[in-house]
Amino acid sequence: MEKLIITAALTGNVVTKEMNKHIPITEAEIIEDIIKCKNAGASVVHIHGRDKEGKPTARKDVYEKILNKIRSKNIDVVTQLSTGARAGENTAEYRGQMLALKTEMASLAVGSSNFLDRVNANSFELIESLSSKMINNNIKPEIEVFDSAMISNAQWLLKKGVLKMPLHFNLVMNVPGSIKGTPKNLLFLVESLPKHCTWTVSGIGNAHIPMITMAIILGGHVRVGIEDTIMYNDTIKATNEMLVKRAARIAKELRREVADVDETRKILGL
Ligand code: ZN
């Protein structure tokens, strides 16, 4: 079996310091967590920008400062920037402004779904615009799948030439308003993917440990982090480092080796 890629989803758009004081919000906190997560086994970092008040933002300068810091500190890690729908104005221009920066990956939601507080609105026009920015800037999209129809959408975009093979999917399971994180649903999604594609899973909340364990067994990859899981267990608030360490430990128990950064680049074709 291929080695396991661990992605650390450090910050997200939703979690606040009040919900989990360990969440990295400032540039310095994000860099500190990237170093810790990399040392614990993560090879990809999924980054969200926050403004001075801690609110989600797609602002290019916010992302630029983080990327510059990663470079100046010589941290070798695959950076994946979020273009998610919760960081402000819902246009491709606003959401995709950081795609002008040098990054190896970016997230791309390929359909609409419900969040608890709003619609996760991603029209085909918006998806195509974000996707072409990524392709033109040599950025590999991570295709965010919140429901099974989004796999069909990705296949349609592939046929249209908007996306290019091999695709890399993130199966985002158990977001309220999206597909539940159950073993049956994960098997169904994995079996629905186009051939020769890679996939990772994000298990939100209680679905976290079952979904990442299944992904490790099935040959997929895993995403962990405070963006997906505020709690480490019933009583302890998670840190990003703890979540990466646990994923690496489960992989070790299941005899799946963890990929380093260069191996990850090879697996993902970066
Ligand atoms: Zn995210």
Side-chain angles (χ1 to χ4, degrees):
M1 207 178 267
E2 207 164 51
K3 288 193 182 179
L4 176 76
I5 301 169
I6 302 177
T7 298
L10 309 166
T11 307
N13 281 328
V14 178
V15 182
T16 61
K17 287 272 187 200
E18 288 70 42
M19 294 158 84
N20 181 336
K21 66 174 182 192
H22 305 301
I23 187 165
I25 299 276
T26 66
E27 176 200 314
E29 289 169 345
I30 290 172
I31 297 296
E32 198 187 318
D33 264 23
I34 289 174
I35 295 169
K36 285 182 184 165
C37 289
K38 199 202 152 178
N39 290 339
S43 51
V44 180
V45 285
H46 172 78
I47 299 170
H48 282 254
R50 296 285 183 104
D51 65 17
K52 286 232 158 50
E53 282 82 51
K55 293 208 177 73
T57 179
R59 263 174 42 203
K60 187 179 152 198
D61 62 311
V62 172
Y63 281 91
E64 193 165 28
K65 276 188 193 145
I66 299 168
L67 292 176
N68 285 344
K69 218 6 156 306
I70 292 173
R71 249 164 248 136
S72 71
K73 285 187 168 279
N74 281 321
I75 309 167
D76 186 25
V77 71
V78 174
T79 55
Q80 182 189 94
L81 309 184
S82 170
T83 67
R86 281 194 268 212
E89 200 187 309
N90 197 18
T91 61
E93 289 67 40
Y94 183 78
R95 280 173 53 180
Q97 57 186 292
M98 78 297 282
L99 298 173
L101 301 168
K102 208 170 149 46
T103 179
E104 287 174 283
M105 297 183 82
S107 66
L108 180 72
V110 288
S112 302
S113 62
N114 283 337
F115 291 141
L116 282 179
D117 59 341
R118 71 182 72 183
V119 177
N120 177 21
N122 300 290
S123 66
F124 275 123
E125 190 189 351
L126 184 132
I127 299 164
E128 291 192 33
S129 173
L130 287 175
S131 172
S132 59
K133 274 183 212 245
M134 292 181 200
I135 305 289
N136 291 340
N137 294 327
N138 202 21
I139 297 169
K140 175 141 183 160
E142 177 181 87
I143 296 165
E144 309 297 323
V145 167
F146 291 80
D147 235 316
S148 58
M150 296 190 195
I151 296 173
S152 315
N153 292 351
Q155 282 166 309
W156 188 74
L157 292 164
L158 196 60
K159 245 189 195 160
K160 249 189 123 181
V162 176
L163 292 172
K164 301 231 171 336
M165 279 293 274
L167 303 178
H168 177 65
F169 290 89
N170 180 26
L171 309 173
V172 187
M173 310 208 44
N174 223 38
V175 172
S178 300
I179 195 164
K180 269 261 182 201
T182 66
K184 197 173 170 182
N185 283 343
L186 180 59
L187 280 177
F188 168 62
L189 291 181
V190 171
E191 283 165 6
S192 306
L193 295 173
K195 285 199 166 55
H196 313 299
C197 292
T198 49
W199 61 276
T200 188
V201 72
S202 286
I204 309 300
N206 290 338
H208 178 62
I209 300 174
M211 292 303 103
I212 67 165
T213 306
M214 269 190 76
I216 294 168
I217 297 167
L218 291 171
H221 304 282
V222 298
R223 185 175 104 168
V224 303
I226 299 177
E227 172 167 357
D228 298 344
T229 340
I230 299 171
M231 302 300 292
Y232 184 73
N233 56 26
D234 286 341
T235 48
I236 301 170
K237 298 266 167 114
T239 68
N240 284 312
E241 184 186 22
M242 283 160 76
L243 294 169
V244 174
K245 278 187 172 167
R246 179 166 61 192
R249 198 174 65 237
I250 296 171
K252 196 175 174 202
E253 297 286 349
L254 293 168
R255 298 196 166 183
R256 179 105 186 260
E257 278 185 79
V258 174
D260 66 23
V261 179
D262 283 334
E263 289 162 343
T264 293
R265 290 194 174 108
K266 233 179 172 175
I267 293 167
L268 296 176
L270 301 175

